[in-house]
């Protein structure tokens, strides 16, 4: 009888860190959508897992990805920290790779500071052409 | 007496079972990041409102997490069993386009679903009788054209054991 990986059912889970008071362990809250049998609506059901975090790099409020350990580390710890998906206060947008907060980017996206001379002359010529078109009308 | 809520059809079993997407067994977690305001996120919002219940109903063991207003651009992220992550940008896509795309990249194909359906059918034999949980019918009396259940309609004299035994004793 071989248990290749995970003495526990959940192999990979994503959750939010709610406590880091334990040494090298993070308390993570995981929510799953569970169907209410009468209302037929999905509600979030929470469960807390303990994850091994050797470098103690989690802060309360991080969103983390946990990976199941091959055998449990202690009575309650059956997962380890695989990756911090979103660090609290320092969210990086995965599409652009830039830091952001809420629905706006923190740094300026346009690269107007890095334009060369040729680019600026080209752009100003284009703008002149547009001005000419509008006065014709 | 109408159902409560904005689109209560989402809360019917028929609607939930109409979901197309059945994920491959390697998909473990699905994360949706979307914004509550803005035109670009409209498709993502519709996807969350209408299609997430269907997906979760068909895939009860996939963890689905929703994040609102964390990043300016909406996206989906899937975490697979081998550690791989799939990022799907859904900015400026409609509801239907998102479903089609996800079905194409991570959904089980129609042939696979039909094959699984056939496998499941093979396990149970339709011609046996027994408890409703494991068989189609419980007794022969349920079938049209067969002798009806004696609990509802008394059997004719000739079929009753009492009469047959009396006849045998007489002869």
């Amino acid at each position: 009888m071989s248990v290749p990986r995970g003495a526990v059912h959940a192999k990979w889970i994503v959750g939010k860190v709610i406590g880091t008071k334990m040494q090298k362990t993070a308390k993570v809250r995981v929510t799953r959508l569970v169907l209410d049998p009468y209302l037929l609506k999905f509600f979030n059901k929470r469960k807390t897992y303990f994850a091994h975090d050797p470098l103690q790099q989690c802060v309360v409020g991080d969103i983390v990805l946990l990976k199941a350990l091959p055998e449990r580390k202690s009575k309650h710890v059956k997962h380890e920290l695989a990756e911090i998906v979103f660090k609290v206060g320092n969210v990086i947008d995965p599409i652009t790779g830039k830091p952001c907060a809420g629905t706006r980017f923190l740094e300026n996206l346009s690269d107007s500071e890095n334009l060369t001379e040729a680019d600026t002359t080209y752009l100003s010529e284009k703008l002149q052409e547009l001005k000419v078109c509008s006065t014709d009308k | 007496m109408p159902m409560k809520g904005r689109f209560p059809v989402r809360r019917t079993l028929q609607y939930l079972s109409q979901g197309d997407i059945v994920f491959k067994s390697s998909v473990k977690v699905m994360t949706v990041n979307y914004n509550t305001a803005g035109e670009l996120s409209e498709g993502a919002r519709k996807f969350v409102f209408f299609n997430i219940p269907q997906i979760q109903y068909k895939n009860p063991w996939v963890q689905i997490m929703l994040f609102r207003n964390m990043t300016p651009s909406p996206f989906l992220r899937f975490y697979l069993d081998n550690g791989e992550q799939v990022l799907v940008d859904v900015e400026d896509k409609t509801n239907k386009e998102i479903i089609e795309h996800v079905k194409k990249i991570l959904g089980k194909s129609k042939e696979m679903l039909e094959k699984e359906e056939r496998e499941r059918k093979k396990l149970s034999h339709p011609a046996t009788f027994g408890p409703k949980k494991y068989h189609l019918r419980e007794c022969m009396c349920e079938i049209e054209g067969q002798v009806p259940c004696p609990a509802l309609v008394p059997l004719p004299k000739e079929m009753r054991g009492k009469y047959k035994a009396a006849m045998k004793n007489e002869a």
Side-chain angles (χ1 to χ4, degrees):
Chain A
M1 187 187 99
S2 64
V3 182
R5 216 173 50 73
V8 63
H9 188 260
K11 305 277 185 278
W12 294 87
I13 32 181
V14 170
K16 185 172 182 179
V17 175
I18 47 176
T20 51
K21 296 247 172 77
M22 293 177 285
Q23 288 166 359
K24 296 195 180 166
T25 315
K27 194 197 280 189
V28 176
R29 174 178 287 158
V30 165
T31 59
R32 293 173 206 266
L33 289 172
V34 171
L35 183 67
D36 181 279
Y38 182 71
L39 293 176
L40 289 181
K41 185 176 168 172
F42 285 97
F43 292 100
N44 279 321
K45 185 173 180 178
R46 327 161 147 176
K47 190 167 177 179
T48 43
Y49 289 89
F50 292 102
H52 181 58
D53 176 20
L55 307 169
Q56 281 191 251
Q57 51 180 316
C58 289
V59 179
V60 175
D62 290 348
I63 311 291
V64 296
L65 173 71
L66 304 180
K67 179 174 166 169
L69 289 166
E71 67 274 312
R72 55 166 70 184
K73 202 168 168 57
S74 78
K75 184 175 170 199
H76 293 290
V77 177
K78 304 173 287 261
H79 298 269
E80 63 166 351
L81 177 76
E83 182 203 343
I84 300 183
V85 176
F86 295 119
K87 188 111 185 86
V88 65
N90 193 12
V91 176
I92 310 274
D93 181 15
I95 309 270
T96 51
K98 306 274 186 269
C100 58
T103 49
R104 59 175 198 87
F105 286 103
L106 285 176
E107 62 173 44
N108 201 1
L109 273 188
S110 66
D111 52 354
S112 50
E113 298 96 34
N114 302 339
L115 285 176
T116 59
E117 283 289 336
D119 289 333
T120 42
T121 45
Y122 176 73
L123 281 172
S124 49
E125 275 172 22
K126 284 285 166 189
L127 279 170
Q128 284 289 334
E129 277 177 22
L130 288 169
K131 280 186 198 151
V132 167
C133 292
S134 56
T135 48
D136 275 346
K137 281 182 188 171
Chain B
M1 198 254 319
M3 281 173 84
K4 292 197 188 288
R6 265 192 298 160
F7 279 89
V9 70
R10 298 176 296 145
R11 293 198 288 121
T12 50
L13 279 175
Q14 195 196 18
Y15 176 85
L16 290 175
S17 50
Q18 267 171 8
D20 275 341
I21 306 182
V22 180
F23 285 129
K24 297 181 183 155
S25 52
S26 61
V27 177
K28 298 288 172 198
V29 186
M30 169 171 157
T31 302
V32 184
N33 270 275
Y34 65 106
N35 293 328
T36 47
E39 275 294 321
L40 301 166
S41 204
E42 184 63 36
R45 260 174 278 148
K46 289 252 179 307
F47 176 73
V48 166
F49 190 71
F50 289 110
N51 302 106
I52 292 275
Q54 290 178 320
I55 298 177
Q56 182 76 96
Y57 185 74
K58 288 279 163 145
N59 306 278
W61 298 111
V62 171
Q63 182 197 356
I64 299 184
M65 286 207 87
L66 306 171
F67 294 110
R68 286 170 195 83
N69 298 323
M70 282 188 85
T71 73
S73 51
F75 59 92
L76 268 58
R77 211 179 203 163
F78 299 89
Y79 296 87
L80 307 185
D81 206 10
N82 49 11
E84 208 180 311
Q85 293 177 19
V86 181
L87 184 65
V88 180
D89 186 9
V90 300
E91 193 158 356
D92 221 4
K93 282 200 185 142
T94 62
N95 191 358
K96 295 251 174 348
E97 284 169 24
I98 303 175
I99 305 173
E100 287 300 308
H101 189 69
V102 170
K103 194 159 80 163
K104 200 162 45 157
I105 51 176
L106 290 165
K108 281 192 181 153
S109 62
K110 230 178 176 177
E111 297 89 39
M112 272 215 71
L113 284 171
E114 278 171 14
K115 200 168 82 162
E116 279 174 11
E117 185 67 41
R118 265 180 275 141
E119 295 291 309
R120 255 177 285 149
K121 272 213 174 107
K122 260 194 213 161
L123 293 172
S124 60
H125 198 326
T128 46
F129 294 89
K132 276 270 180 258
K133 189 175 171 190
Y134 303 106
H135 304 266
L136 282 178
R137 298 157 296 200
E138 284 197 328
C139 178
M140 185 69 95
C141 66
E142 289 178 33
I143 301 170
E144 286 176 26
Q146 298 297 330
V147 172
C149 189
L152 305 168
V153 169
L155 285 175
K157 221 170 30 169
E158 293 84 22
M159 286 194 203
R160 293 186 66 199
K162 187 172 176 177
Y163 183 82
K164 282 190 201 163
M167 286 283 107
K168 206 201 264 184
N169 283 343
E170 222 180 275

